[in-house]
Structure formats: C-alpha cells, structure tokens
Amino acid sequence: MTTGDVAAAPRSYTVVGPGGIGGTYGGRLHAAGFDMRFLGRSDVPTLRDEGLVLESVWGDVRTGPLGAAASEDPVALGPSDVVLVCLKTTENRQLVDLLPPLVRPGTIVVMMQNGLGVEEIAEAVVGGTDDVTVLGGLCFVCSTKVAPGHVRHIDYGRVTIGEWRSGYGASGITDAVRVVSDDLAAAGCPVAPQESLGVARWKKLVWNVPYNGLSVVLRAGTDELMADPDTRALVRDLMMEVWRGAEACGHGFDESFVEQMLTDTEQMTPYAPSMRLDFDAGRPMEVDAIYAAPLAAAAAAGAELPKVEALWRQLRFLDAAHR
Amino acid sequence: MTTGDVAAAPRSYTVVGPGGIGGTYGGRLHAAGFDMRFLGRSDVPTLRDEGLVLESVWGDVRTGPLGAAASEDPVALGPSDVVLVCLKTTENRQLVDLLPPLVRPGTIVVMMQNGLGVEEIAEAVVGGTDDVTVLGGLCFVCSTKVAPGHVRHIDYGRVTIGEWRSGYGASGITDAVRVVSDDLAAAGCPVAPQESLGVARWKKLVWNVPYNGLSVVLRAGTDELMADPDTRALVRDLMMEVWRGAEACGHGFDESFVEQMLTDTEQMTPYAPSMRLDFDAGRPMEVDAIYAAPLAAAAAAGAELPKVEALWRQLRFLDAAHR
C-alpha cells in the first residue's frame, strides 16, 4: 500500500480461513502493506512462528512470522476494517461464533465463497450490528493449500465483488465495493467490481453447477467432460438450466455467456474443480451452496431445473455415503 | 412335456445365448422334455461334452452331454419351432448372421431382452420370411452364469410375453403368445401372457431405467438407493418420467404402478442390476435399449424426460470411458 500520508494507518484485514483462497489474497495484501490478521486452526502454529508462504504465478510471498496476527481465537484478533471470509461454505455454521468478534461498526465483510445465499448467513450473524456491510466475492482462481501455512496459486485469480442486497437486488458499485476492489487491485490482483452480485453469482453457477458435480459423479476432469459428446451436451443442458434459473430469479444475462463458458473451458488447462478435490480428499462437498440454494431460488421463482436437480440428488447421496 | 400322442414330436427350441436367462429357461424346457438346441460361443464345448448345469430355486437340472444340440454354428443347428433370443442387447448386431438359419415359415422368435425396440431388429432380419412371428419376453429373474455351461438362478423368474406389432400396437393374446406361454408354464416357469407388449416393455422400464443407471453411476445397490432419501426421490422422479413417456407413446398404465415398484424394490433382497454387473465386469452396457430407445420414442411423441436423458448421457460417458 503506497500512501503519501504517513499518519494514515494501513487498512486492517482479517482472513477467515487461510486456505487456497485466503492464502492467495491474504498473501498479496500482506505484500502490499495492509495490516493482515489470519483466523485459522491447523495453520496457526506455522503462520505464527514461520509465516505464510505463497507460491504464486504473480510472484512469491513470504510474510515472515506473523506472531499474534495469526490466531484460532477471534476475540484475540478483534475487529478489523475488512473481513475476508474464505472458509468453505460447508464450514459456515462456524460463523455465528467466529464473525461477531471480528466486526465493529463500519466493518466490511466479504464472503469469498462459491454458490448462492452465503451472504444471508453473514447478514444473519452480524447484520444486526450497525453499519456492517456484507459483500460477495467470487474468485476465479486455481490455488490450493499444499501444507500448513503454504499455498500454491497456479493459474487465474480474478475476483468479482459486489454488495449484497436482500434477494440479490442490484446495488450498483457501492463505496464498500470500491474500497475492497481498490485494495485488491493495489495488491496486484485483477478485480471486477459488480453492479449486481446476483448476476455475478448466477454467472459463476453456470460454470460451477455442471463441472463440479459431473467431475465428482463421473470421476472425470473438465477436459474429459468436454471431449465426450454426451457429457459436453449434458454440461450445456445444465448450463442452460442455470441460465433459465437466473432469468426466472431476475438476474438474467445474455445467453451467449453459456457458449462462451463452454469455449473457455475447452481452452482451459485440464482442471479438477474444487468439489472433486473435496470429494477425493473425503471432505464434505459444497452441495448446499452450489446446488440446493439455486434450486430453491429457481423453484420459488417458478422455474424447474430438472437436470440440475438430478445431479444435486446424486451429489447428496455421494456426500452422505462419504461420511 | 407330457402328451398322450406318441406320434407328436416335442416342440423344438433354440436358445441363442446360453447365459443366465438362456440357461435358466433353456434348462427348465429341457427338463420338461422339449427338443432343445443351444447356440453359443464359449459355453459350447462344455454344453456339448458335459451338458448344462442349472442350479435353480425351482430345482436343479443337469441335461447331460448335449452333443450336436450345442453349437457355434446356426446352420448346423438349423431351424426350430421357437427361437429364444437371450443375448444381451449389446450383441444384437450379430442377429443378422445368427437368426436366418434358425427360422423357417412358422417359427416363433422370442426376444427375451430388456429395453425397447429390440423386436424391430428381429423383424428387420427375419420379418421378410413368411410366417415368422416375433414376440417379446420380459424376464423378471435373478440368474447369472457362474462358469461355462453353469447357470445359477437365485430368485424370481416370471416371464411376461407379448406379440410384437409395429409401433408396439396392442396384439391381444395371440396363438404364438399362447404356445410359448403354455410351454414355459409346462416347464414350471411362471408366465404372464400380455395383450400389449408395449405396455409390458414400458412397465419394465419403470424399474430398469432408475435402478440400472443409478447403480452404475453411484456404484450403489438397490437397497442403498432406496435407503437414502435423495436417491429414493430421484428414483421416483425417473420412474414418473418413464410413466409419462409411456403415456405419451400410447402405452400408458395406472400411476399407482410407480409406487408399487418402489415398495416392491424396498422389500426385495438387495440386488445388483444387470447393468451394474456388466459395468463391473467391463462389458458394454445396455444403454441403447434401456435409455436411447425409450428417449427417442418419447421425444417422437413430444415428451421430454430430462432426468432420464441426463442419466443416459452419464451412462454413455461411462460406457465409452470403459472401452
């Protein structure tokens, strides 16, 4: 962070969940001079005593020992200007305990998560606090934690950010969106401020719904799903259902986006979606945020998404069988 | 076969494909005194030199050496009164070579297979021959080949039989249906002659479509699919789509049949459907007969079956990936 004003303290950020996403953006913000805190569990001893190591296509970052800025205890960390929630959505039940000590009036909470409806969870926990603003952040990034306190960012990295409104009503580009977007841009991260978080989230679902679920159910990578004419057709059908769901919910966008996603994915490096990595590692899958919430929203708007629903049922079965 | 007329030769039957189904019904008919021939490949040496062994809940059968009545060569066997086609539908392309030498005017060909449209294949091959009648036979039986010439029949066994008409138009109970039904009944097999083969085939699809496909895609048995509330709901949705497909094609039946199938399956001994056995053994799956043909028939009648279609796409992918 460069500023000519020596009196201005750098903005404070707390990263909740220093995994692949939290480590990537937290590491970049640290390198840019922001006042960074990390709320974690298994990573905390390493972060405290040795620091965060981020290997990144944007350049590597080594924070050095973080000391008291890494903790398992949100009360010890206290409130900051911005809280980046980088947990898996399957961990969101923890937010009722983790989030309140991290906010004060004026804090911006950014839900850096997949799926739909995750901002409502933050709103329910800290929305009663005056002047807490809830944003959604969608990360188009390939990064994974390879060891405690050690994150590898191998490709992409753009973040789209929008402010949450009840029912995902369009907010326009708000002050809070501008603040966080500018900070991430200052840290060298590509950002795309969004006028409508609802549209942004449904657009991301166009990718997440087919590739995450089918990669698990069929044990296949994005390249295999695109090379086979049957799964390519099924991917497209699932995307079109998501597109219709978005339309029904009032978050519509141009249909050409679907063809663009198909083409982009064909040109991507073969990639195992996050749900596949979770499944293979025996972790819970983000089935609620990526499937149940959009299906419920679409159903409430009168839209049936039968192929998405069938995939959701299959994933629920596999998720339950896994435990 | 008991008859007071010493001059009457017993009716001749050729079993094409002496596997689980061919061995079960062929073995019973042999024990009842019918003139049995078996067209096979890998089983032929055993059948010729040692005979067929049928271990069955209905009582065991040992035919003794079958000699020239077991062959790989349809010309050597020649025509018979009835031909029971007990191949997997994935082998039906062989019928163009196998079937013509086995029929003469008056022969009854019974397609003892799953799925839809299989009679059209027989009709295309031998329908030009005057007076060849094509029937469909649906076997509700748990039996498998455990070794060459050795079949184990562990449960169920009812056969529903109906005469094929173009477009699966209802035929009523025809003479040919009566002949084959009476012979099987005389051999101790429960039979159910059908007035409409179309209705019978769609009813069997109500079971085959959900359980075969889901047991493969989710690597689960019928018991697991019924115990989990998500897969139970998905099974029901798939059944209802098949039911709607049958309605659209003019082969409708009462909706209560769906609930009955669910209840019956819950009360069944846990069972791996035939497609699962094929998949696990690396054999081609009967995807065309059980999925593609009903989907095409329903689509031609204006009915979309989206969840069935999604499952079909998944199975096509797995079937292709398997080869």
Side-chain angles (χ1 to χ4, degrees):
Chain A
M1 190 187 187
T2 51
T3 168
D5 181 355
V6 292
R11 205 177 334 270
S12 58
Y13 274 80
T14 299
V15 171
V16 180
I21 286 182
T24 299
Y25 298 104
R28 295 301 306 178
L29 289 163
H30 187 280
F34 290 95
D35 172 15
M36 300 303 298
R37 299 108 190 240
F38 294 86
L39 181 71
R41 283 187 304 202
S42 58
D43 299 285
V44 167
T46 307
L47 295 175
R48 188 184 57 215
D49 300 335
E50 302 168 37
L52 172 71
V53 175
L54 168 64
E55 288 178 71
S56 169
V57 288
W58 297 336
D60 295 352
V61 174
R62 289 173 176 274
T63 65
L66 289 162
S71 178
E72 293 193 42
D73 179 7
V75 175
L77 292 177
S80 58
D81 298 326
V82 184
V83 177
L84 304 181
V85 176
C86 303
L87 297 173
K88 288 265 170 195
T89 57
T90 50
E91 303 288 310
N92 278 352
R93 74 185 74 83
Q94 296 181 42
L95 292 177
V96 67
D97 297 319
L98 300 182
L99 217 41
L102 300 177
V103 305
R104 64 185 167 221
T107 294
I108 300 168
V109 174
V110 192
M111 300 298 280
M112 309 272 277
Q113 298 184 320
N114 276 322
L116 204 69
V118 296
E119 292 85 5
E120 289 174 58
I121 297 165
E123 179 71 17
V125 173
V126 294
T129 315
D130 283 341
D131 292 324
V132 169
T133 305
V134 178
L135 311 185
L138 293 155
C139 307
F140 298 78
V141 63
C142 298
S143 58
T144 42
K145 188 168 75 173
V146 293
H150 187 168
V151 167
R152 190 170 289 150
H153 164 217
I154 57 168
D155 211 351
Y156 304 97
R158 188 165 51 89
V159 187
T160 63
I161 299 176
E163 185 161 322
W164 187 74
R165 290 284 185 278
S166 179
Y168 283 110
S171 63
I173 309 290
T174 64
D175 288 347
V177 168
R178 233 181 292 266
V179 163
V180 178
S181 298
D182 289 352
D183 287 354
L184 283 166
C189 309
V191 288
Q194 300 291 306
E195 306 212 340
S196 164
L197 181 59
V199 172
R201 286 212 167 271
W202 278 96
K203 278 183 159 180
K204 191 154 196 213
L205 288 168
V206 167
W207 197 93
N208 272 331
V209 163
Y211 293 111
N212 275 285
L214 292 177
S215 77
V216 168
V217 171
L218 299 177
R219 275 77 156 171
T222 52
D223 52 335
E224 295 167 281
L225 296 173
M226 294 311 284
D228 181 280
D230 285 287
T231 39
R232 192 188 195 283
L234 179 54
V235 164
R236 192 180 185 287
D237 287 351
L238 290 163
M239 286 183 172
M240 285 305 303
E241 285 192 358
V242 174
W243 179 83
R244 281 199 298 274
E247 281 276 316
C249 291
H251 307 303
F253 44 88
D254 196 88
E255 193 178 330
S256 65
F257 184 77
V258 165
E259 295 304 329
Q260 186 195 319
M261 279 292 101
L262 290 168
T263 310
D264 287 358
T265 307
E266 276 170 336
Q267 290 164 0
M268 260 174 70
T269 311
Y271 178 55
S274 62
M275 188 170 281
R276 174 73 185 284
L277 299 176
D278 288 338
F279 181 73
D280 287 348
R283 293 189 295 260
M285 296 188 285
E286 296 189 283
V287 178
D288 284 351
I290 299 181
Y291 294 88
L295 280 167
E304 285 193 15
L305 316 181
K307 290 174 186 175
V308 175
E309 192 191 326
L311 185 54
W312 169 62
R313 296 285 193 194
Q314 293 181 327
L315 290 167
R316 292 252 301 174
F317 174 84
L318 291 174
D319 200 42
H322 233 225
R323 308 285 173 88
Chain B
M1 190 185 191
T2 51
T3 167
D5 180 355
V6 292
R11 205 178 333 270
S12 59
Y13 274 79
T14 300
V15 171
V16 180
I21 286 181
T24 299
Y25 298 103
R28 295 301 306 178
L29 289 164
H30 187 281
F34 291 95
D35 173 13
M36 301 304 296
R37 299 109 191 241
F38 294 86
L39 181 71
R41 281 188 307 202
S42 59
D43 298 285
V44 167
T46 307
L47 294 176
R48 188 184 55 214
D49 300 335
E50 303 169 37
L52 172 71
V53 175
L54 168 64
E55 289 178 70
S56 169
V57 289
W58 296 335
D60 296 351
V61 174
R62 290 174 176 272
T63 64
L66 290 162
S71 177
E72 293 192 42
D73 179 7
V75 175
L77 292 177
S80 58
D81 298 326
V82 184
V83 177
L84 303 181
V85 176
C86 302
L87 298 173
K88 288 266 170 194
T89 57
T90 51
E91 304 289 311
N92 277 352
R93 76 185 74 82
Q94 297 180 42
L95 292 177
V96 66
D97 297 319
L98 301 183
L99 217 40
L102 301 177
V103 305
R104 66 186 165 219
T107 295
I108 300 168
V109 175
V110 192
M111 300 298 282
M112 309 272 277
Q113 298 185 320
N114 276 321
L116 204 69
V118 296
E119 292 85 6
E120 289 174 57
I121 297 166
E123 178 72 17
V125 173
V126 294
T129 314
D130 283 342
D131 293 323
V132 169
T133 304
V134 178
L135 310 186
L138 293 155
C139 307
F140 298 79
V141 62
C142 298
S143 58
T144 42
K145 188 168 76 173
V146 294
H150 187 168
V151 167
R152 191 171 289 150
H153 165 217
I154 57 170
D155 210 352
Y156 304 96
R158 188 165 50 88
V159 187
T160 63
I161 299 175
E163 185 162 322
W164 187 74
R165 289 283 185 276
S166 179
Y168 283 110
S171 62
I173 309 290
T174 63
D175 288 347
V177 167
R178 234 181 291 266
V179 163
V180 178
S181 299
D182 288 352
D183 288 352
L184 283 167
C189 308
V191 287
Q194 301 290 305
E195 306 212 341
S196 164
L197 181 59
V199 172
R201 287 213 165 271
W202 278 96
K203 278 183 159 181
K204 190 153 196 213
L205 289 168
V206 167
W207 197 93
N208 273 329
V209 163
Y211 294 111
N212 275 285
L214 292 177
S215 77
V216 168
V217 171
L218 299 177
R219 274 79 156 171
T222 52
D223 51 336
E224 295 167 281
L225 295 174
M226 294 311 284
D228 180 280
D230 285 287
T231 39
R232 192 187 196 284
L234 179 54
V235 164
R236 192 180 185 289
D237 288 352
L238 290 163
M239 285 183 172
M240 285 305 302
E241 286 192 357
V242 174
W243 179 83
R244 281 199 300 274
E247 281 276 315
C249 292
H251 307 303
F253 44 88
D254 197 89
E255 192 178 331
S256 65
F257 184 77
V258 166
E259 295 305 329
Q260 187 195 319
M261 279 292 101
L262 290 168
T263 310
D264 287 358
T265 307
E266 275 170 338
Q267 290 164 0
M268 260 174 69
T269 312
Y271 178 54
S274 62
M275 189 171 279
R276 174 74 186 284
L277 299 176
D278 288 338
F279 181 73
D280 287 349
R283 293 188 294 260
M285 297 187 285
E286 298 189 283
V287 178
D288 284 351
I290 298 180
Y291 294 88
L295 280 167
E304 285 193 16
L305 316 181
K307 290 174 186 176
V308 175
E309 192 191 328
L311 184 54
W312 170 61
R313 297 284 194 194
Q314 293 180 330
L315 291 167
R316 292 252 302 173
F317 174 84
L318 292 174
D319 199 43
H322 234 226
R323 309 285 172 89

